[in-house]
Amino acid sequence: MKRYDPSDMLVFAKVADLLSISGAARALSISKASVSRTITRLEEALSTRLLERSSRHVNITEVGRTFLVYCQRVREEVEAAEAAVGELQASVKGLIRVAVPLVFGRSVVGPALPRFMLAHPDVQMELQVTDRTIDPIEEGFDLVVRIGQQPDSSLLTRELGRAPYAAFASAAYLSQHEPITHPDQIAKHAVIDLFNSAEKKDWVFERNGKQISVPVLPRLDLNEAVIRRDVAIAGVGIALVPSWMCREAVRDGRLVPICPDWTSTRINVISALWPSRRNTLPRLRAFVDFLTEIVPQEFGLERPQAAIKDR
């Protein structure tokens, strides 16, 4: 295989970002001819075509997409090296690619995000709100937010908060039944939760160190917490959902907490995860710090109980 300059990989990554040779030339402050020669040199060295070019369009070939993953990693390492030894170490600027779960993104990250953007005017952000599990290493994201217990991995992890669950029902539903003064009474009611066809269906509550397990009667087995909340608002039954999702509905009277002096033992851990090679980037550290402080403060989550954890 012919040799090529590793800096050629950065040029190819920029062309792939913009899908334009002329756009990459402008972004890199070099000539269009120089960019074209670089791509040709890479293709000759690799003995394959990386781009399909026409007079108007540039498309990445399948081989080019595979090669791009490694080019992006080279670019990340260059950025990290510059951050470690240069002026960038103290400067929060550049692009951050972040992926967060759908409901959490809409309800928590979205409202808080302007504060970070206004505080750091030199930061650009690509935010993907999705319930698809994204691998930040394979897909080139700087950071992902995940909810629930995470398996061991090579990613660095910081806990953002712990979201407790609670039982809620509409005032209309409660008006049709005897007052619920103790969790044991929930056993007589229709409930809405995610059971995953479990044989044992119960809710566990605690108060003053004492736990009780309440067998429940499922009316609706549903894997989407927002819909569970909305079905409860409509008066179908009692739903067990994360408390932060119900704050507004409780404030305006659409939902009423059930036995608020008892606490559900169910808790979701909300974590930020990112590749260790990104850890030296000031913009990433600033965003992680921002989430750690703002998310619990603004949205009523329990405070984080751990700092960065290298799994």
Side-chain angles (χ1 to χ4, degrees):
M1 179 181 292
K2 295 181 181 179
R3 298 188 62 83
Y4 57 86
D5 192 321
S7 64
D8 292 349
M9 299 174 75
L10 305 181
V11 176
F12 175 71
K14 182 58 68 175
V15 173
D17 286 345
L18 302 175
L19 290 178
S20 169
I21 289 177
S22 57
R26 287 192 296 271
L28 297 171
S29 299
I30 58 179
S31 69
K32 181 179 177 181
S34 178
V35 173
S36 294
R37 286 195 299 270
T38 297
I39 300 302
T40 299
R41 183 164 58 245
L42 279 172
E43 291 180 330
E44 290 177 350
L46 298 170
S47 299
T48 190
R49 185 173 293 277
L50 301 174
L51 300 175
E52 295 291 350
R53 286 164 275 186
S54 68
S55 58
R56 293 187 176 182
H57 300 287
V58 171
N59 292 311
I60 308 173
T61 66
E62 184 177 352
V63 174
R65 284 193 293 271
T66 299
F67 185 60
L68 175 60
V69 172
Y70 297 93
C71 293
Q72 290 170 332
R73 291 178 182 175
V74 169
R75 181 167 60 188
E76 290 170 359
E77 294 295 342
V78 170
E79 289 179 353
E82 290 174 347
V85 299
E87 188 175 316
L88 190 59
Q89 183 69 23
S91 178
V92 179
K93 61 182 179 181
L95 176 66
I96 310 174
R97 299 188 71 221
V98 178
V100 300
L102 186 61
V103 175
F104 190 75
R106 288 175 176 172
S107 303
V108 178
V109 177
L113 189 59
R115 302 185 187 194
F116 180 79
M117 302 300 290
L118 292 172
H120 303 287
D122 294 326
V123 167
Q124 299 86 46
M125 180 170 291
E126 178 185 327
L127 178 64
Q128 188 167 134
V129 181
T130 176
D131 283 334
R132 182 173 65 86
T133 299
I134 286 179
D135 185 323
I137 296 175
E138 291 298 323
E139 301 188 49
F141 280 82
D142 298 302
L143 177 141
V144 297
V145 173
R146 292 179 183 163
I147 297 177
Q149 198 65 35
Q150 298 303 313
D152 288 342
S153 75
S154 61
L155 300 173
L156 296 179
T157 304
R158 179 180 287 182
E159 189 177 304
L160 301 178
R162 295 186 169 222
Y165 280 61
F168 298 90
S170 70
Y173 176 87
L174 294 174
S175 69
Q176 300 171 11
H177 300 83
E178 293 290 327
I180 302 174
T181 58
H182 191 278
D184 280 342
Q185 295 169 279
I186 295 175
K188 301 177 182 179
H189 289 260
V191 304
I192 305 156
D193 197 1
L194 169 62
F195 296 101
N196 273 334
S197 302
E199 291 186 13
K200 185 178 181 182
K201 301 175 177 65
D202 53 17
W203 291 352
V204 181
F205 297 88
E206 62 182 6
R207 184 178 67 178
N208 300 328
K210 176 185 177 183
Q211 285 192 1
I212 60 170
S213 180
V214 180
V216 293
L217 177 63
R219 178 76 191 281
L220 180 61
D221 187 342
L222 180 62
N223 69 342
E224 219 294 315
V226 172
I227 302 178
R228 295 204 300 270
R229 178 199 64 190
D230 293 345
V231 171
I233 290 173
V236 173
I238 301 174
L240 192 68
V241 288
S243 299
W244 62 267
M245 290 185 181
C246 301
R247 293 178 70 197
E248 185 176 337
V250 170
R251 281 197 300 264
D252 62 26
R254 289 178 294 153
L255 284 178
V256 177
I258 305 299
C259 299
D261 54 336
W262 287 81
T263 303
S264 169
T265 59
R266 192 183 306 179
I267 292 177
N268 265 342
V269 178
I270 302 171
S271 304
L273 302 93
W274 65 97
S276 59
R277 67 173 182 272
R278 310 295 287 165
N279 198 44
T280 57
L281 295 178
R283 60 182 179 269
L284 178 60
R285 295 201 309 271
F287 187 65
V288 173
D289 289 344
F290 173 79
L291 289 177
T292 302
E293 292 301 317
I294 296 299
V295 169
Q297 173 184 321
E298 290 297 312
F299 299 96
L301 303 180
E302 292 185 10
R303 297 294 296 177
Q305 297 185 359
I308 294 177
K309 178 180 179 182
D310 189 344
R311 296 173 181 269

